[in-house]
Amino acid sequence: MFTFDQLTGFIAVAEELHFGRAAERLNMTQPPLSRQIQKLEKTVGAELLDRDNRRVELTAAGRAFLDEARRLMALASRAPVTARRIASGRQGHLRIGFTAASGFSILGPLLEEIGAIVPDVDIDLQELVTGEQIQGLLTGELDLGLARPPFDTEVFNSHLLYRESMVLAVPASHPLADLKRDIQNEDLKDEPLIMHSPTQARYFYDLVVRLHDIRHENVVHTVSQILTMVSLVAAKRGVAFVPHSATALGIRGVSFLRLASGEEEPVELHAIWNRDAKNPALVRLLRDLEFAAN
Amino acid sequence: MFTFDQLTGFIAVAEELHFGRAAERLNMTQPPLSRQIQKLEKTVGAELLDRDNRRVELTAAGRAFLDEARRLMALASRAPVTARRIASGRQGHLRIGFTAASGFSILGPLLEEIGAIVPDVDIDLQELVTGEQIQGLLTGELDLGLARPPFDTEVFNSHLLYRESMVLAVPASHPLADLKRDIQNEDLKDEPLIMHSPTQARYFYDLVVRLHDIRHENVVHTVSQILTMVSLVAAKRGVAFVPHSATALGIRGVSFLRLASGEEEPVELHAIWNRDAKNPALVRLLRDLEFAAN
DNA sequence: TCGAGTAATACCGGGAGAGCATCATGTTTA
DNA sequence: TAAACATGATGCTCTCCCGGTATTACTCGA
């Protein structure tokens, strides 16, 4: 088995791509760091870094292992905190994941409500995309997620929190912004489009493809975060379909236009949790919020 | 920071609730195990086990920490497996570029074959013209291209995937469509011609110019995509030389006629990849497809 | 061709951890 | 009630691992 020191060493080298600088960051010298990495690679059984005397870069396996190493370190640093909290007699601890977009709409009021119901419970918040939240709920790293469909209803219970419309984000200087009517599909036939990632933001991707007649040749960027999309719109790289709550982001130079599409409020946000979650704080919260198991 | 040994020690004691038996399970003696737990409790900053000289039990904090410890150990034991899978190419990511026309011939079967060889590899597909594919392969944004010559054989390896004939696309109502023989160059001497772009579709342009005696004064359109050409033919804007696979496009109002030209199947489609590509999934795929380096 | 930059290797010294022996303490039993 | 037993903690010693220093090997650029 590798050690935590080897993991921190690897993370540092992976980030610096330079043994000397990484060693400096770790307050050690370069030779033992080199040996740490060698040992790590031996126990892992794969080359993680491709290096010659002049250049260091991550291998494909190294990139994947870097993710795991970061998760391990995060978990390891949180674990004692959890234990201490419980030891100090606090009532409990809830780890809640939320999508960036939901942070600008439902998160504030929801936290207030939670605070009223279980004031003695500590809340950990983590911004994660839906897929990461589902992963976290499965491994027990999260208690509650604020996420988008689809999710496996065999494994998760859910409660619809919020519905909202989609709007079109355009640069404020864009001709469409002066239009006095809702945007039609035809208005966009020659517009450069900033699109949701079909893997990372599958919910929005599917929604947009279903409701709007996307010309894939117009797609100039594929991104996974709403905030990134709006920033790109502000930078005049194109237009983007975003949920209405993105209007609360407060980014300058962007106008949000209504869409003349079929469904009124197609964007859903659900609270989801593992059916066999046992955290007493969660159980109490769900009961008092009257999120009936469904 | 605690160590993995301390975690395994703690898990063993928590499960056995007995230092001696836990030590035995870990193939060690009891004293160092006691000290491991003491150290762990010190770094965690909370009592994990409530023990007197007769009895060992978990504290509330200990129960919570046990969960986290198990999660950490599970993650730590999975991480190297994932890394090894990726290093061996059994898992990972492949980005494949293809030309629009190849999408209608070889792409489906090839993807099926790939799926059989490396089922756990995620495939990203991007429709790109040959030039863009070559660019992508050079910058590393693409792993494999399905493209047409010419390409720099110093930089790229290739494997001939497919050969096909050129045919002449004509409007279904066109007099030539009723001809009961192959089309000769002279048949076209007064026909409006939809031609390939000499820059964007250089391969087809060169091929057609080489094999057929083109009268440039007949060229009414210059386009880069086969699909566009066939659409223009359907709109009776002229006739066009297209690869045989275009017959699978299923566009109405177009007939495809055999050409009486020299070469039988002059249109080539190659799989090409960067000679020093390192993506293990690609390496494995190439090996198993027996695309010998050439 | 030489010097600079950088990762790997050789060698050494200190400290952490394992084992053995023993202690402390509470429980069982004669 | 006292002795034997069970069990976790502690003291001591020894080994091995890890880190530091010095050096090497190799590549690239001037």
Side-chain angles (χ1 to χ4, degrees), chain A residues 37-217:
Chain A
I37 303 294
Q38 289 164 10
K39 276 215 168 141
L40 180 61
E41 287 179 322
K42 196 168 169 188
T43 54
V44 168
E47 301 246 311
L48 302 175
L49 292 164
D50 188 11
R51 50 200 188 276
D52 57 26
N53 289 331
R54 202 89 201 143
R55 191 179 38 83
V56 177
E57 60 189 32
L58 280 163
T59 63
R63 274 188 294 279
F65 193 79
L66 178 60
D67 279 353
E68 307 276 14
R70 288 209 179 102
R71 281 185 63 202
L72 272 166
M73 295 309 299
L75 208 52
S77 54
R78 264 212 314 277
V81 178
T82 313
R84 278 200 299 274
R85 273 189 184 141
I86 291 172
S88 67
R90 314 270 193 84
Q91 282 303 317
H93 184 202
L94 271 181
R95 291 157 302 186
I96 302 180
F98 65 99
T99 60
S102 68
F104 300 97
S105 50
I106 195 77
L107 189 60
L110 183 69
L111 285 180
E112 227 164 273
E113 206 169 346
I114 291 176
I117 291 173
V118 285
D120 48 354
V121 167
D122 293 318
I123 310 287
D124 260 7
L125 288 175
Q126 294 181 59
E127 186 193 314
L128 300 167
V129 299
T130 295
E132 292 170 328
Q133 289 189 43
I134 285 174
Q135 202 55 41
L137 290 167
L138 283 174
T139 61
E141 286 166 50
L142 276 186
D143 296 307
L144 188 66
L146 307 185
R148 321 255 178 216
F151 38 80
D152 184 350
T153 53
E154 297 278 311
V155 181
F156 301 111
N157 276 324
S158 68
H159 180 89
L160 176 62
L161 284 178
Y162 189 66
R163 303 186 68 112
E164 61 184 320
S165 58
M166 284 297 261
V167 295
L168 186 76
V170 303
S173 59
H174 195 285
L176 282 176
D178 301 325
L179 225 54
K180 287 289 173 277
R181 56 165 176 77
D182 294 357
I183 302 296
Q184 313 279 345
N185 282 335
E186 298 84 63
D187 297 331
L188 303 176
K189 69 179 194 306
D190 294 322
E191 290 296 330
L193 184 62
I194 299 155
M195 191 59 187
H196 304 267
S197 155
T199 53
Q200 296 295 96
R202 173 162 153 229
Y203 177 66
F204 284 115
Y205 179 85
D206 289 350
L207 196 66
V208 170
V209 169
R210 179 159 62 79
L211 295 182
H212 306 280
D213 198 16
I214 298 304
R215 287 157 205 257
H216 290 277
E217 65 270 23

Side-chain angles (χ1 to χ4, degrees), chain B residues 235-256:
Chain B
K236 301 191 179 133
R237 308 303 307 265
V239 305
F241 294 94
V242 297
H244 182 265
S245 51
T247 60
L249 286 172
I251 292 184
R252 290 174 170 256
V254 180
S255 292
F256 296 94

